């Protein structure tokens, strides 16, 4: 069987760790690319040299040259600036829009059949931008953050209950920002509704911790943002795609009427496989849940409006 090829753009903390996780799971050969001379080459060599210790056969090359990314199956875009303390994800908007536009142009024409998985923040609107720039069908362009928000939620639930994370199914919808929408009603412990196990005020505290999960890490790191859980989440999506597993994962996808939302990228559960987004799952929501999702999507639309006004989404 032909080995899959994944390009990871951006060899910083998130990109290099994503490349490492993909290689260690032997999911694909990996091309790691960055604008900074030597950075991707150095990190790729280092990861490659761990192969016999880790026991993987995947090949990983680092480069500044987009020619090496040709005919990738999946392109993971992590290039951009990371948040600094006190900086919101939206502060990054224009700078990262420039970077994501350039990178998408470079990648899309060399890998016209690929899937684009966007990780750069502010996530949902960067995904919308990459979709527009690439000209790809929307099922082939999606963003990572729902998996990250949900694994954080799952971890906090497991810790609250003192149980294994393996038994927790946690669901977070909405944009990847302060308005994300944790859904306790659709979160369970081995099928047991969370709300029967944890009192409402504790659930609210866990929801808050989840929304604040990224910021808490930024405040501690001071010079960067989270990368272990983000790279795990991106790798889980790459795995679902390359194994064509049909896993149901919350991802940022283009909505066309689902959940009453249209023309905007937002986090909802989807079935993910080799062709990208195979299906958007529409969970029945209560009035307040729908309202929270609508508010979250409005934040994304506002950013999309700012980008459109600056000529990025034309
Ligand atoms: N092309 C390729 N790489 C680029 C470009 C570009 N045009 N512009 C910047 N980069 C690279 C940088 O050189 C850097 O190595 O992107 C990398 C970003 O890495 P870090 O600064 O370490 O940031 P990281 O923590 O990896 O976060 C990357 O993911 O989670 C999000 O908010 C985060 O938007 C940020 C992104």
């Amino acid at each position: 069987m032909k080995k899959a090829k994944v390009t990871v753009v951006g060899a910083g903390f998130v990109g290099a760790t994503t490349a490492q996780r993909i290689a260690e799971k032997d999911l694909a050969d990996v091309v790691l690319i960055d604008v900074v001379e030597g950075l991707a080459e150095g990190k790729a060599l280092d990861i490659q040299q761990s192969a016999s210790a880790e026991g993987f056969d995947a090949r990983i090359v680092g480069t500044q040259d987009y020619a090496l990314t040709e005919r990738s199956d999946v392109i993971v875009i992590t290039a951009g600036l990371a948040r600094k303390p006190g900086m919101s994800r939206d502060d990054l908007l224009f700078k990262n829009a420039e970077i994501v536009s350039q990178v998408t142009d470079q990648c899309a024409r060399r890998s016209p059949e690929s899937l684009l998985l966007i990780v750069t923040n502010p996530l949902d609107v960067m995904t919308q931008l990459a979709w527009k720039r690439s000209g790809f069908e929307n099922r082939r362009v999606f963003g990572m953050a729902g998996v990250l928000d949900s694994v954080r939620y799952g971890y906090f639930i497991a810790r609250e209950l003192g149980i294994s994370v393996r038994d927790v199914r946690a669901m977070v919808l909405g944009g990847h920002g302060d308005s994300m929408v944790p859904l306790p009603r659709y979160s369970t412990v081995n099928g047991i509704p969370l709300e029967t196990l944890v009192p409402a005020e504790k659930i609210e505290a866990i929801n808050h911790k989840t929304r604040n999960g990224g910021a808490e890490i930024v405040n501690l790191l001071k010079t960067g943002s989270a990368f272990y859980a983000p790279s795990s989440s991106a790798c889980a999506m790459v795995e679902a795609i390359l194994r064509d597993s049909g896993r149901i994962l919350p991802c940022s996808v283009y909505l066309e009427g689902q959940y009453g939302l249209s023309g905007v990228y937002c986090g909802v559960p989807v079935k993910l496989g080799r062709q990208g987004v195979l299906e958007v799952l529409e969970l029945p929501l209560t009035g307040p849940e729908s309202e929270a999702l609508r508010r979250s999507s409005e934040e994304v639309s506002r950013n999309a409006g700012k980008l459109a006004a600056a000529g990025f989404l034309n």
Side-chain angles (χ1 to χ4, degrees):
M1 204 171 80
K2 180 182 158 282
K3 195 103 173 258
K5 176 173 175 179
V6 175
T7 286
V8 180
V9 188
F13 286 101
V14 178
T17 318
T18 301
Q20 176 192 354
R21 294 193 193 286
I22 293 169
E24 285 180 355
K25 289 191 161 194
D26 248 334
L27 294 175
D29 288 336
V30 181
V31 177
L32 183 62
I33 185 162
D34 201 285
V35 275
V36 175
E37 193 185 340
L39 184 69
E41 291 90 323
K43 290 193 181 182
L45 266 181
D46 196 7
I47 296 168
Q48 188 72 82
Q49 287 167 9
S50 71
S52 64
E54 293 294 332
F56 63 82
D57 295 311
R59 290 169 52 100
I60 165 159
V61 293
T63 184
Q64 285 177 276
D65 181 1
Y66 279 92
L68 270 64
T69 71
E70 257 178 28
R71 286 190 293 280
S72 294
D73 298 289
V74 182
I75 294 170
V76 184
I77 298 182
T78 77
L81 305 183
R83 270 197 299 169
K84 303 275 172 348
M87 213 176 164
S88 78
R89 291 185 179 94
D90 290 354
D91 293 335
L92 299 176
L93 182 65
F94 290 108
K95 190 65 210 147
N96 283 354
E98 266 171 47
I99 294 172
V100 167
S101 300
Q102 285 166 13
V103 167
T104 303
D105 291 350
Q106 294 286 351
C107 292
R109 64 193 168 92
R110 291 183 173 86
S111 300
E113 308 295 326
S114 62
L115 305 182
L116 302 182
L117 165 48
I118 314 304
V119 179
T120 305
N121 274 314
L123 189 277
D124 304 273
V125 76
M126 289 301 126
T127 310
Q128 189 147 349
L129 175 60
W131 167 59
K132 276 275 182 185
R133 293 292 290 215
S134 65
F136 289 2
E137 309 99 290
N138 55 48
R139 71 170 169 82
R140 292 205 280 135
V141 187
F142 39 86
M144 176 277 281
V147 176
L148 170 61
D149 299 329
S150 299
V151 295
R152 282 183 174 146
Y153 197 31
Y155 167 69
F156 294 135
I157 291 168
R159 215 176 56 175
E160 171 64 32
L161 289 168
I163 59 169
S164 167
V165 286
R166 289 192 185 87
D167 291 328
V168 180
R169 290 282 169 276
M171 179 69 76
V172 180
L173 304 188
H176 181 54
D178 303 333
S179 66
M180 69 178 75
V181 187
L183 278 189
R185 231 164 44 83
Y186 284 105
S187 301
T188 69
V189 174
N190 263 352
I192 306 163
L194 179 65
E195 289 165 317
T196 65
L197 299 172
V198 181
E201 69 280 3
K202 284 247 165 74
I203 291 183
E204 198 32 58
I206 297 171
N207 292 351
H208 176 74
K209 211 165 163 44
T210 303
R211 284 191 204 98
N212 199 40
E216 188 179 0
I217 292 167
V218 170
N219 288 333
L220 290 165
L221 294 182
K222 298 194 174 60
T223 55
S225 54
F227 59 100
Y228 290 115
S231 57
S232 290
S233 306
C235 185
M237 290 174 70
V238 170
E239 184 166 13
I241 293 163
L242 295 178
R243 296 197 195 287
D244 201 17
S245 65
R247 278 199 71 188
I248 306 297
L249 296 171
C251 304
S252 182
V253 296
Y254 191 66
L255 296 175
E256 299 173 285
Q258 301 95 336
Y259 295 93
L261 303 171
S262 281
V264 66
Y265 266 82
C266 198
V268 296
V270 304
K271 183 173 163 187
L272 208 56
R274 191 64 195 79
Q275 302 302 314
V277 176
L278 304 176
E279 192 184 332
V280 174
L281 276 78
E282 232 177 319
L283 306 174
L285 297 183
T286 62
E289 288 166 349
S290 291
E291 178 53 22
L293 185 60
R294 192 188 55 74
R295 273 202 310 273
S296 182
S297 76
E298 276 173 6
E299 247 183 63
V300 182
S301 298
R302 257 196 306 281
N303 274 336
K306 288 183 212 162
L307 284 191
F312 278 105
L313 282 171
N314 304 330

